[in-house]
Amino acid sequence: MEKSIVKKIEEIIPKERILKELSDRYSYSYDASFGEYLPDIVLQPASVEEISLLVKLANEYRIPVYPRGSGTSLSGGPLPVYGGMVFDLSQLKEKLVIDKENMIAVASAGIITSEIHKKAEEVGLFYPPDPSSSNVSTIGGNLLENSSGPKGLKYGTTKEYVIGLEVVTPLGEIIRTGGKTVKNVTGFDLTRLIVGSEGLLGIVTEVILRLIPKPQAKKTMLATFSKFIDSGNAVTNVLAAGILPAAMEFMDNACIRAVEHYKPSGLPVEADALVIFEIDGHPLAIEEEIEKCRVICNKNGATSVKIAANDKERDEIWAARKMVSPAITQLGPTKISEDATVPRSKIPEMMECLYAIRDKYNLTLVVFGHAGDGNLHPNIITDKRDIEEMKRVELAVSEIFESAIKLGGTLSGEHGIGILKAPYMELELGHSLELMKSIKQAWDPNNILNPGKMFPQPGQTKVVLT
């Protein structure tokens, strides 16, 4: 970066928060997805005013700006694909206020998501969105990717809980959207437009979240099945019985084997699938509902059913699910994580497609996900040094997304589009993609914020990993 521009940056933020060394820049060249891109400079702004001035400077010199939180994105959201400036927003964490009377939380963008869970529960309130990365991810990055975790079926996704924002626009202006009221229908709903926009429409600096009463109690059950189709029928019949679990998480046989190999915990490695059911609510109601779940699973061919008797046993059940990601990384050095989502009734059909793709391209492919809302996480374990295999991975990824869309699904349930799914956007959206581009153009005429994401490059029809 030109020295004259660096000098102007130093007039905005102190030198100790300007990272220019190659080793520092490499630390910000990757996230939790696939791919590495080296930024020209990394900045750690500590206030909304600093961010505003830096964005205005970026517009003046047409420098790309890539905001990031903890870098847990699985779709390449914060990767600086055109170099430029990376803004490390994990330093914005001076505010976390829980307003019990109004049942809201006001948080700086750099606050870790699980801190909001903890502080809300201390006063009897509840923030349901709970992505697997909640102990690491910042709330700003979390809501820009609209990542929600396993409780989407009962409680809805992150966007249902964001009621207000402080944002620096792509031109450097500081604005507020929404507010502290649950009802707000004044003008266009810019809050909803920004949530899930993956940093293309603004840099979120402060969020206002709606909270709800904390459920009084919860019960957790683990059911295993010798046939995947039986687990799907059990999930469908639980919902048909009028029960709405807080979570229904499933793992396929490959995941079960990986977890048992990683840290043996007594899971049946011969099972074709397992499902974790969690019921929350009034203590008397959850006792009745979890028993109904047990009966339904047994009627649908469950080979084992275990209801946790206490918090220790509950934690042991969830440990299996939480170990999936670290366990499958033991299967190979490169993990390609996807989250194709289909209507719940299409899960068995989508699973058949995934296994056919696995066999067709001779790849290690494992599947886990949220059975309640159809959000599947097929993961391909490979080695990026094996160019021939990576070519097969590229074809397999294309077929995964094409299959999801053919079944009435979508490219992403919670990981976002980033760079890994951009080539398939037109396949799902058609002409709507042009409308989205026009919104981006109107908000960001100089294409400063997070360029190279979400929209495919001319002629780009599939993801390129080699």
Side-chain angles (χ1 to χ4, degrees):
M1 181 167 286
E2 294 178 18
K3 288 183 179 179
S4 59
I5 298 175
V6 175
K7 189 176 179 181
K8 290 195 174 186
I9 292 172
E10 290 173 350
E11 293 172 359
I12 299 172
I13 64 174
K15 288 183 178 179
E16 60 267 25
R17 292 195 268 115
I18 302 172
L19 309 179
K20 295 179 287 187
E21 298 299 324
L22 185 61
S23 57
D24 290 326
R25 291 188 287 131
Y26 266 119
S27 298
Y28 290 85
S29 68
Y30 58 89
D31 61 0
S33 70
F34 183 90
E36 291 183 18
Y37 300 88
L38 194 64
D40 294 316
I41 196 166
V42 177
L43 308 175
Q44 295 179 320
S47 70
V48 64
E49 290 80 14
E50 288 182 352
I51 294 171
S52 170
L53 292 172
L54 290 170
V55 172
K56 288 177 179 176
L57 183 69
N59 272 274
E60 182 180 349
Y61 290 96
R62 303 293 192 268
I63 302 170
V65 171
Y66 293 95
R68 68 180 278 154
S70 298
T72 56
S73 171
L74 291 166
S75 58
L79 293 178
V81 296
Y82 296 134
M85 303 175 177
V86 163
F87 287 5
D88 173 8
L89 301 177
S90 64
Q91 308 304 306
L92 285 179
K93 51 188 176 185
E94 73 278 8
K95 183 185 288 185
L96 174 52
V97 177
I98 304 297
D99 181 343
K100 184 176 181 180
E101 183 179 3
N102 289 305
M103 298 175 67
I104 60 173
V106 182
S108 302
I111 294 291
I112 300 299
T113 306
S114 63
E115 277 295 302
I116 297 171
H117 294 143
K118 179 183 172 186
K119 293 295 183 184
E121 291 185 17
E122 284 176 356
V123 296
L125 297 175
F126 184 39
Y127 176 61
D130 186 20
S132 296
S133 62
S134 62
N135 286 322
V136 184
S137 62
T138 61
I139 188 63
N142 191 168
L143 70 86
L144 282 174
E145 296 295 331
N146 202 5
S147 302
S148 306
K151 297 188 175 73
L153 171 66
K154 180 172 182 177
Y155 292 106
T157 58
T158 298
K159 63 185 178 185
E160 270 81 47
Y161 293 88
V162 183
I163 59 174
L165 295 170
E166 179 186 71
V167 178
V168 176
T169 71
L171 294 176
E173 303 302 326
I174 301 172
I175 64 167
R176 282 197 170 271
T177 70
K180 295 184 177 180
T181 58
V182 173
K183 283 186 173 179
N184 184 335
V185 296
T186 304
F188 292 159
D189 191 347
L190 298 182
T191 305
R192 283 238 176 182
L193 184 58
I194 293 170
V195 174
S197 65
E198 303 189 24
L200 271 69
L201 299 181
I203 299 174
V204 171
T205 54
E206 185 175 290
V207 307
I208 303 173
L209 304 171
R210 180 171 64 91
L211 306 176
I212 62 175
K214 180 184 174 184
Q216 295 179 44
K218 61 183 71 172
K219 276 284 185 181
T220 306
M221 184 180 89
L222 173 67
T224 62
F225 300 84
S226 60
K227 298 178 182 176
F228 183 85
I229 188 68
D230 291 340
S231 68
N233 290 334
V235 167
T236 301
N237 288 328
V238 163
L239 294 170
I243 301 168
L244 190 58
M248 289 193 289
E249 295 290 291
F250 81 90
M251 296 161 49
D252 74 352
N253 176 265
C255 288
I256 295 170
R257 287 178 179 275
V259 167
E260 278 300 292
H261 179 74
Y262 179 69
K263 188 175 182 181
S265 55
L267 296 178
V269 294
E270 71 280 1
D272 203 30
L274 69 77
V275 182
I276 299 171
F277 296 85
E278 185 155 285
I279 306 291
D280 64 7
H282 191 280
L284 296 177
I286 64 172
E287 289 291 346
E288 181 181 330
E289 290 187 343
I290 202 73
E291 177 58 21
K292 284 184 179 178
C293 288
R294 184 186 66 78
V295 170
I296 290 169
C297 285
N298 282 331
K299 283 184 177 177
N300 284 275
T303 51
S304 70
V305 176
K306 178 184 178 181
I307 299 175
N310 49 47
D311 286 346
K312 179 175 179 295
E313 290 187 5
R314 175 180 177 273
D315 291 343
E316 289 173 354
I317 288 175
W318 276 110
R321 171 65 179 84
K322 291 178 178 178
M323 276 193 290
V324 170
S325 286
I328 61 178
T329 59
Q330 305 296 306
L331 302 177
T334 305
K335 181 164 74 82
I336 309 293
S337 302
E338 301 300 351
D339 77 321
T341 303
V342 295
R344 189 170 50 242
S345 62
K346 297 292 185 181
I347 288 179
E349 206 171 332
M350 185 63 189
M351 289 297 291
E352 288 181 8
C353 292
L354 291 172
Y355 290 146
I357 293 168
R358 174 195 64 189
D359 296 341
K360 177 180 178 181
Y361 293 106
N362 188 28
L363 296 169
T364 300
L365 187 151
V366 305
V367 189
F368 58 94
H370 317 305
D373 52 27
N375 190 185
L376 304 177
H377 293 307
N379 278 245
I380 298 174
I381 312 302
T382 181
D383 184 345
K384 64 181 181 182
R385 297 166 298 185
D386 186 338
I387 302 300
E388 188 277 329
E389 183 166 274
M390 291 302 289
K391 291 289 184 187
R392 286 186 275 126
V393 172
E394 291 173 355
L395 296 173
V397 168
S398 293
E399 288 199 23
I400 288 172
F401 292 136
E402 289 164 3
S403 299
I405 292 170
K406 282 179 183 175
L407 292 172
T410 181
L411 294 172
S412 178
E414 59 184 8
H415 289 180
I417 301 302
I419 57 173
L420 294 180
K421 301 173 190 173
Y424 311 99
M425 285 286 277
E426 189 166 6
L427 183 67
E428 176 176 340
L429 297 176
H431 189 66
S432 298
L433 183 62
E434 295 304 314
L435 183 58
M436 290 187 184
K437 287 179 180 177
S438 67
I439 293 172
K440 169 67 174 173
Q441 173 64 28
W443 281 50
D444 188 6
N446 296 322
N447 198 24
I448 293 296
L449 271 188
N450 214 4
K453 311 294 169 58
M454 194 182 290
F455 302 121
Q457 301 302 309
Q460 188 181 17
T461 57
K462 71 180 180 67
V463 65
V464 177
L465 302 171
T466 55

